[in-house]
Amino acid sequence: MKSIPDFLKWKADGRAITMVTCYDAATAKILNASSVDSILVGDSCAMVVHGYDSTVHATVEMIATHTAAVRRGAPDKVIIADLPFLSNRKGTEIAMDAVDQLMKAGANAVKLERRKGNIQLIEHIVDSGVPVMGHLGLTPQSVNAFGGFKMQAKSDAAARALIEDAKMLELAGCFSVVLECIPGDVAAQVTEALTIPTIGIGCGPEVSGQVLVVNDLLGMDRSFQPRFARKYANLAETIGQAVDSYCADVQSKAFPAAGEYSSKLVKAAS
Ligand code: KIV
């Protein structure tokens, strides 16, 4: 079974790391049988599963519930659970309660967005025996500060600051860092500057691994197809067609057919 220390080894060996998000046991069961290295129970579940317009609506209870479901479906995979909006900004005790809930739900590690104001907490979590993944660039919990889901680190100064942030996350003990929606050359520089691996989304190929939201990869939402998320299936169409076929069969009485139910002649009592 793969584990958190493998991340460092994979980067050292030049082996690309694969990660997808997952939120439910049924999908996790499929992923458990796949070759994917790791699963992220991302706070994107607030948007993808619960229909909110940002990840600000994710809660510790929400992520813990999804983490427990994913762990039941994927007993053999490395699972990383997101610390949701503000759960790590209300003091150490509240943050550690959140970490405790996510780890007890079945995570192997937690992920935490941004560097500023988080270094001491990251050190404390790591010193408590819990691996931490950092997250820089377009950190969606800050969508309101960014004024939308926009590419980050576009200026030289912002790129330099992000590289410094990444180094500080490594020093604080993070075992890897997610880089989201930053220019490819900046992602390459971060990857070069760190010993720990970078996992990219919308950052090009020069990172240590890639992560995609599983619903994007599977083509579950016809109305949302970001440029960076390659669609490997078109499940929105497949599911829609399957349900339409089912409805047509029910209406024409083609379903259920012989063999899809039991029949037993019961003689009426005389
Ligand atoms: O919540 C999430 O899905 C994420 C990934 C996009 C990295 O943080």
Side-chain angles (χ1 to χ4, degrees):
M1 185 173 152
K2 292 159 184 164
S3 66
I4 296 293
D6 288 324
F7 278 69
L8 251 188
K9 189 174 153 311
W10 289 329
K11 178 171 182 184
D13 294 348
R15 174 200 179 283
I17 301 166
T18 53
M19 183 159 94
V20 292
T21 69
C22 183
Y23 319 103
D24 67 279
T27 311
K29 204 168 167 185
I30 298 169
L31 296 182
N32 198 54
S34 79
S35 58
V36 79
D37 293 321
S38 56
I39 297 176
L40 172 67
V41 184
D43 58 359
S44 50
C45 68
M47 301 174 77
V48 179
V49 179
H50 295 270
Y52 289 110
D53 63 356
S54 82
T55 60
V56 163
H57 301 275
T59 63
V60 176
E61 289 66 30
M62 185 190 281
I63 307 284
T65 301
H66 289 292
T67 301
V70 170
R71 175 51 80 204
R72 286 190 285 271
D76 306 322
K77 293 290 178 186
V78 172
I79 296 178
I80 297 130
D82 246 336
L83 278 167
F85 184 62
L86 297 188
S87 62
N88 54 313
R89 306 290 296 188
K90 299 176 190 166
T92 308
E93 200 174 325
I94 291 175
M96 291 312 288
D97 276 347
V99 172
D100 196 15
Q101 282 192 58
L102 299 182
M103 296 303 284
K104 287 202 169 77
N108 301 108
V110 296
K111 177 166 78 61
L112 183 153
E113 290 189 6
R114 296 165 63 97
R115 185 276 307 167
K116 213 165 172 218
N118 287 330
I119 291 296
Q120 277 186 340
L121 178 64
I122 291 171
E123 284 170 350
H124 185 64
I125 300 172
V126 172
D127 288 346
S128 307
V130 176
V132 176
M133 177 178 262
H135 186 161
L136 296 173
L138 170 52
T139 44
Q141 291 172 16
S142 306
V143 63
N144 290 296
F146 294 149
F149 295 99
K150 296 176 180 165
M151 168 85 73
Q152 299 297 307
K154 286 199 291 190
S155 69
D156 285 355
R160 274 196 298 275
L162 189 138
I163 295 166
E164 287 313 306
D165 282 350
K167 287 182 186 165
M168 287 167 82
L169 289 181
E170 172 163 314
L171 268 179
C174 286
F175 72 94
S176 69
V177 184
V178 167
L179 300 176
E180 181 163 353
C181 291
I182 60 172
D185 50 339
V186 180
Q189 285 181 62
V190 176
T191 305
E192 176 73 28
L194 301 185
T195 306
I196 57 170
T198 53
I199 312 290
I201 176 164
C203 295
E206 290 184 66
V207 284
S208 320
Q210 300 285 337
V211 56
L212 277 182
V213 169
V214 76
N215 294 54
D216 297 343
L217 180 163
L218 297 175
M220 292 283 285
D221 185 350
R222 288 189 185 98
S223 65
F224 183 70
Q225 195 53 55
R227 185 164 67 109
F228 58 80
R230 188 178 297 175
K231 231 196 230 184
Y232 286 87
N234 193 346
L235 289 199
E237 202 176 306
T238 306
I239 294 171
Q241 282 169 359
V243 173
D244 284 346
S245 300
Y246 159 72
C247 293
D249 283 355
V250 170
Q251 276 154 5
S252 69
K253 305 252 182 242
F255 175 79
E260 288 175 322
Y261 65 101
S262 312
S263 61
K264 188 170 186 305
L265 267 184
V266 180
K267 285 196 186 128
S270 54

